[in-house]
Amino acid sequence: MSLIDFKTDYYQVFADIDGADLEWWQKARDFMEVARPSIDEAWEKAEYNIPGVEEAARRGLITDGIAIEGQPETSIRANRLIQMELARTDASTATAHIVQSGLSMRSISECGSEEQKAKYLGPMSRMEIRGAFALTEPEHGSDSIGLETSAERDGDEWVINGEKKWIGHGSVGHIAIVWARDTADGEVKGFIVDQDAEGYSAETIQGKASLRGIPQAHIKLNNVRVGDDRRLPGAQSFRDTAKVLTGTRIAVAWVALGMAIDCYEKALDYAHRRVQFGRPLVKNQIIQQRLADMLQELTAMALYCRRLLELEEAGELNEKQAALAKVHNTRGARKIAADARDMFGGVGILLENDAARHHADIEALHTYEGTDTIQSLIVGKSITGVSAYRS
């Protein structure tokens, strides 16, 4: 059963969702309906709706499908539907979900020791501990593999120095998963750093026009000391970092789909209600053509996500396939959001109609988790055998 109307899910891509997966999808929808008023206020004021995200955690929605003692299990399918549904209402909330569970918790789940998993994953799933994923730097965004933050071994401790930028939860969290280059072997390692540690300072980036409902930070690390028990033992090179990023690029494809669904549905509803020159907008040929064009794009995005899901569930998905989906779906959502905002006419700039907010937020998705260009070049390298972004 699909929670999406057939006018949206035209090929019935999600018609076979049932059982626990359908229940989780419905739980996500129910939560967003309750959270909607505070979400709107948070976006307009550029404030983080921490109580709202904590409520999502109480409902078991912040796990990324990781098996955590004391938390109900969610399948890969349920997790992707949750991400899509959160984004259908608000990309900032969906991004908070990705930062907390898809990046921070997943880093510990994939690369942490059993002791680290036991200590952090439960509290993080309940949002008792908010986590950040500190990878990108002021001079290393798309080329994050070239990060300059250093980690030097000093007895039983590591001394970390450097800067990180555009880090969700970096100034409002409790811990940060800091990726730094080991001065001994030159490899990238991961560390769990307390945000109140001496030498850790973070400033929330101001003036954002996109994803205003979640803060990103500029972090400075000045001789921050962490014990070796805070090093992620499974993170031995940037390849391990990249494994975590593959999962979040999949998430961005689903988030883009959720945003596009809402834009299309809101535009369709408005076209039925709005009367111009004595008749509803939907009676105009150009409006029907534009809606049909939006549906074509939306259907392709849904089919991408469904195929991604099949590959992910089979354990066969690779980073190139994730990159292709991220590019395709963020481009599609960008176009649908722009068309929806235009179809609303003058009132399209009002936040109450959602299209302008989605239109602004999709610009962040177009860039983060690997820019549109970099993801395209990852795909390009896979089909040509030639790298265009490394010397």
Side-chain angles (χ1 to χ4, degrees):
M1 174 183 175
S2 177
L3 296 185
I4 308 173
D5 187 271
F6 79 93
K7 294 176 184 177
T8 302
D9 190 5
Y10 209 70
Y11 279 3
Q12 296 293 280
V13 176
F14 302 112
D16 63 344
I17 304 298
D18 59 9
D21 296 331
L22 181 61
E23 291 176 9
W24 279 111
W25 188 1
Q26 185 66 59
K27 286 179 182 179
R29 178 163 295 192
D30 292 343
F31 163 68
M32 293 308 281
E33 289 177 358
V34 171
R36 178 60 196 262
S38 59
I39 285 169
D40 288 350
E41 183 178 0
W43 199 96
E44 189 163 2
K45 293 182 177 180
E47 296 176 349
Y48 189 26
N49 180 24
I50 292 177
V53 181
E54 289 175 340
E55 176 59 27
R58 281 191 287 273
R59 297 180 183 220
L61 298 173
I62 311 292
T63 66
D64 202 54
I66 300 169
I68 301 170
E69 185 176 354
Q71 286 285 20
E73 291 187 13
T74 56
S75 67
I76 293 172
R77 182 169 303 200
N79 184 57
R80 297 309 181 195
L81 291 167
I82 288 169
Q83 291 167 338
M84 178 183 74
E85 191 60 39
L86 296 181
R88 200 174 66 88
T89 299
D90 179 48
S92 292
T93 303
T95 298
H97 181 283
I98 292 172
V99 168
Q100 179 73 2
S101 61
L103 289 171
S104 305
M105 291 171 60
R106 182 62 65 175
S107 294
I108 295 172
S109 174
E110 295 289 332
C111 302
S113 66
E114 293 304 314
E115 292 78 10
Q116 290 166 344
K117 294 175 189 178
K119 179 178 180 178
Y120 291 105
L121 292 180
M124 291 180 77
S125 72
R126 299 187 293 272
M127 290 298 289
E128 295 166 4
I129 296 176
R130 290 188 295 278
F133 182 88
L135 175 63
T136 55
E137 300 179 353
E139 303 301 326
H140 296 281
S142 294
D143 66 334
S144 56
I145 192 172
L147 64 87
E148 296 179 51
T149 298
S150 65
E152 184 175 2
R153 187 73 179 260
D154 182 18
D156 293 332
E157 293 184 319
W158 294 81
V159 182
I160 303 175
N161 284 281
E163 294 185 40
K164 299 293 182 178
K165 195 171 183 180
W166 296 111
I167 310 304
H169 283 174
S171 55
V172 296
H174 301 98
I175 63 171
I177 308 300
V178 175
W179 300 92
R181 193 172 301 281
D182 186 345
T183 57
D185 62 12
E187 296 290 355
V188 174
K189 310 281 175 70
F191 302 86
I192 303 172
V193 178
D194 291 331
Q195 292 189 17
D196 61 359
E198 184 177 355
Y200 181 105
S201 62
E203 181 180 354
T204 299
I205 296 169
Q206 302 294 330
K208 292 195 306 175
S210 184
L211 293 182
R212 290 167 56 82
I214 179 173
Q216 277 89 28
H218 184 171
I219 300 169
K220 294 182 180 179
L221 302 136
N222 183 21
N223 290 325
V224 175
R225 287 182 171 271
V226 296
D228 192 52
D229 62 337
R230 293 297 193 89
R231 179 178 58 85
L232 299 177
Q236 296 296 326
S237 72
F238 192 80
R239 295 186 196 90
D240 299 308
T241 318
K243 290 177 185 176
V244 178
L245 294 174
T246 295
T248 53
R249 284 166 186 161
I250 300 167
V252 173
W254 283 91
V255 166
L257 174 61
M259 297 169 73
I261 286 171
D262 194 57
C263 288
Y264 166 77
E265 290 181 338
K266 294 285 174 58
L268 178 59
D269 175 69
Y270 182 76
H272 276 286
R273 292 185 290 107
R274 178 61 168 165
V275 175
Q276 287 276 47
F277 302 105
R279 65 181 194 171
L281 283 180
V282 288
K283 287 193 174 183
N284 294 302
Q285 290 181 357
I286 189 62
I287 293 296
Q288 290 200 11
Q289 182 183 23
R290 291 180 73 177
L291 287 168
D293 288 347
M294 292 165 76
L295 180 60
Q296 290 176 41
E297 193 76 54
L298 188 64
T299 300
M301 292 170 66
L303 289 168
Y304 262 71
C305 281
R306 186 55 190 254
R307 180 56 181 155
L308 272 182
L309 181 62
E310 292 169 352
L311 291 168
E312 189 177 12
E313 289 176 330
E316 298 174 354
L317 186 64
N318 62 50
E319 64 172 355
K320 290 85 172 177
Q321 293 164 325
L324 183 65
K326 196 269 185 184
V327 170
H328 179 271
N329 280 16
T330 52
R331 285 184 185 178
R334 209 179 188 202
K335 184 176 186 302
I336 290 171
D339 283 344
R341 199 233 60 80
D342 186 65
M343 203 174 297
F344 269 96
V347 299
I349 66 171
L350 297 177
L351 294 178
E352 66 187 46
N353 290 318
D354 296 324
R357 179 164 51 84
H358 285 310
H359 191 204
D361 285 344
I362 193 62
E363 289 304 301
L365 271 71
H366 182 71
T367 303
Y368 76 14
E369 297 303 323
T371 65
D372 178 278
T373 301
I374 287 296
Q375 298 305 317
S376 296
L377 294 179
I378 289 172
V379 175
K381 178 183 176 182
S382 73
I383 59 179
T384 65
V386 178
S387 175
Y389 54 91
R390 292 179 190 167
S391 57

